[in-house]
Amino acid sequence: MKLFTPIIFRNVELKNRIVMSPMCMYSAEEGVANDFHFVHYGSRAQGGAGLIIVEATGVEPRGRITDKCLGIWNDEQAESLKKIVDFVHQNSESKIGIQLAHAGRKGSVSADTNRQMTPQEGWQTIAPSPIPFHPSDRTPHQLSAEEIKTLTEDFRLAAKRSVNAGFDVIEIHAAHGYLIHQFLSPLSNTRTDEYGGGFDNRTRFLLEIVDAVNSELSEEQALFVRISGTEYAENGWNIEDSVKLSRLLKNKNVDLVDVSSGGNINGVTMELKPGYQVPLAEAVKKDADANSGAVGLITTAEQAEAILEHGQADLIFLAREILRNPYFAVQASWKSDDNCFYPHQYLRAKPSKS
């Protein structure tokens, strides 16, 4: 199966096309990874995924979605993640990445109540414009140009810590209505300075972050960017914008565009069905001539293989399915008689070939 063929980004070779998509676990204390994260990510490496991407990780304290999200704004947090990275490298063939993120106006949520906290309980949210995500949310602080430059530096420093921790892939989170996506969309960004207005200005923040992050990377680390291909809203960010952006990202040495959708506009409707976001990844791959990743209700190896065979994407990002089954990759390889990493400690349980 093409699903079990290698692919190379810079000098990073993935043994297969199966990626554990970044998914928040809401289990950290002060942004520090703990034993849960060690077991959670380590088990997916034992399951044979070509690449594991650690969940959205805040580049500064206000960058977290909730008070229980991971962070990488200090060395203690980076050291806790390095323990996971070292285990994955020493005990599997998987590569491991990290998603650098800032929640913006969607931050300061209590992991216990799932409601936005007051500034006294949590922190003041920030955004390109003073527009809350939900009518019940607090109005976010509108960032000044100087504050935007500081945030770009936060992403650079987070990338530096990620490289020092040994991560193979850095993914910038520019999707799902979080801070960078808020800048991209004309519905959440109504600024009139160099960071708002037309397409070039609204994409400026992301492109400056890409340059800053790339300044800390070598050929030993690959750079991905996750975007929302569309936000399903009239006059909002759409797939044509995403294709145009993906061309720019490719020219800025971004190795792959990970294409999801939605998350920025409250109350929109979308048709959820198997592979519903695959056409967005296909548009980026074919119309922007960029490497793309497909994600969204992909649940079987046969479905994943068809996406690759039809040239719709280069990598398959699995989310809920790989939560349900950490061993998706290795079990799928048994069915197709393909090679996939299998822990030597478990060899007595491996089915024999007929």
Side-chain angles (χ1 to χ4, degrees):
M1 297 177 74
K2 189 169 184 178
L3 190 60
F4 292 100
T5 58
I7 187 170
I8 298 175
F9 302 98
R10 304 192 192 187
N11 290 334
V12 180
E13 180 178 304
L14 309 184
K15 295 296 185 181
N16 58 57
R17 310 298 181 96
I18 298 170
V19 181
M20 177 185 179
S21 195
M23 292 167 283
C24 293
M25 294 291 106
Y26 310 113
S27 298
E29 296 293 338
E30 301 299 327
V32 178
N34 54 42
D35 287 347
F36 168 79
H37 299 94
F38 184 82
V39 172
H40 173 63
Y41 292 109
S43 64
R44 271 71 194 176
Q46 298 299 285
L51 173 64
I52 296 156
I53 303 184
V54 170
E55 64 206 76
T57 305
V59 299
E60 60 128 338
R62 298 173 301 174
R64 295 169 294 167
I65 304 166
T66 77
D67 52 345
K68 296 294 181 69
C69 288
L70 287 177
I72 193 165
W73 66 81
N74 65 43
D75 292 341
E76 180 187 6
Q77 295 161 346
E79 281 298 316
S80 70
L81 291 165
K82 185 178 186 301
K83 177 183 176 183
I84 297 170
V85 172
D86 289 346
F87 176 84
V88 170
H89 286 158
Q90 293 164 11
N91 294 278
S92 76
E93 294 179 351
S94 298
K95 295 296 191 292
I96 183 166
I98 184 171
Q99 186 183 67
L100 302 182
H102 199 297
R105 68 180 184 175
K106 294 179 77 174
S108 196
V109 173
S110 167
D112 295 327
T113 66
N114 200 33
R115 294 183 182 277
Q116 195 169 65
M117 298 180 285
T118 66
Q120 293 72 34
E121 297 169 318
W123 55 89
Q124 174 62 54
T125 56
I126 60 177
S129 301
I131 304 170
F133 171 69
H134 189 274
S136 66
D137 290 346
R138 289 180 286 107
T139 299
H141 163 71
Q142 177 173 304
L143 292 162
S144 68
E146 183 177 347
E147 288 172 320
I148 292 168
K149 299 294 185 185
T150 299
L151 287 164
T152 301
E153 176 69 0
D154 289 334
F155 273 91
R156 185 190 69 80
L157 291 172
K160 183 176 183 178
R161 288 192 177 94
S162 300
V163 170
N164 290 339
F167 283 102
D168 305 294
V169 174
I170 310 299
E171 178 169 273
I172 298 169
H173 197 356
H176 299 164
Y178 299 121
L179 184 61
I180 299 174
H181 185 176
Q182 292 160 29
F183 273 86
L184 295 176
S185 171
L187 300 180
S188 50
N189 180 354
T190 58
R191 302 173 71 96
T192 57
D193 64 0
E194 67 268 35
Y195 290 99
F199 176 89
D200 291 343
N201 283 358
R202 286 184 283 109
T203 58
R204 189 184 305 278
F205 182 42
L206 171 56
L207 297 180
E208 288 179 348
I209 290 171
V210 167
D211 286 341
V213 169
N214 253 329
S215 74
E216 296 295 339
L217 307 188
S218 71
E219 289 303 301
E220 304 310 312
Q221 299 88 30
L223 179 59
F224 294 0
V225 174
R226 170 164 275 191
I227 65 171
S228 283
T230 178
E231 55 190 17
Y232 305 104
E234 186 176 359
N235 299 320
W237 185 265
N238 57 39
I239 188 57
E240 289 78 18
D241 294 322
S242 292
V243 168
K244 187 177 179 180
L245 173 63
S246 296
R247 293 192 188 107
L248 297 176
L249 294 174
K250 180 182 177 182
N251 288 336
K252 282 190 169 288
N253 205 24
V254 170
D255 298 286
L256 179 134
V257 181
D258 171 10
V259 191
S260 188
S261 68
N264 192 45
I265 305 302
N266 182 58
V268 301
T269 58
M270 61 188 80
E271 184 182 3
L272 298 178
K273 59 182 180 180
Y276 70 104
Q277 294 173 154
V278 173
L280 302 173
E282 181 178 18
V284 165
K285 180 169 176 57
K286 294 183 176 178
D287 297 342
D289 192 27
N291 293 323
S292 75
V295 64
L297 295 182
I298 301 170
T299 58
T300 69
E302 293 75 18
Q303 182 187 5
E305 180 70 9
I307 293 166
L308 296 172
E309 288 292 343
H310 293 145
Q312 295 172 289
D314 300 277
L315 293 179
I316 304 298
F317 286 68
L318 299 179
R320 289 169 176 80
E321 186 58 31
I322 212 163
L323 289 185
R324 288 187 284 263
N325 180 11
Y327 300 95
F328 176 94
V330 69
Q331 290 178 358
S333 74
W334 293 342
K335 294 177 183 178
S336 61
D337 200 28
D338 278 290
N339 289 323
C340 188
F341 172 78
Y342 193 65
H344 68 85
Q345 296 92 338
Y346 301 163
L347 281 174
R348 68 176 71 98
K350 186 176 183 178
S352 58
K353 296 179 180 180
S354 56

